[in-house]
Amino acid sequence: VTVDESALTYKDANKVFDYAKQAVSELQALDIMTGSNGYLNPQSNLTRAQMAKILKRSLEYVNLID
C-alpha cells in the first residue's frame, strides 16, 4: 500500500517526523494505527496495549492470525 503522506488525518499530524510520515500514513490507511480521539501523539511512548494492538492488526493484515 502506498499512500500520500498528506493523507494523515490525525489532529497532531504536524508532529509526526518527516521520515515517518509515509509509514504512518500507510498504517493509518490500513487501520493498523488508529490514534485516540483523533490524535496520534507521535512524541509519546507506546503502551504495551497499544503495541499489542498494532502487532495483532499487522499479523491479521498479512494473514498470519485470524
Side-chain angles (χ1 to χ4, degrees), residues 28-45:
Q28 182 182 23
L30 294 170
D31 201 34
I32 292 173
M33 290 181 67
T34 58
S36 178
N37 297 319
Y39 291 91
L40 179 63
N41 299 312
Q43 306 293 319
S44 300
N45 293 326

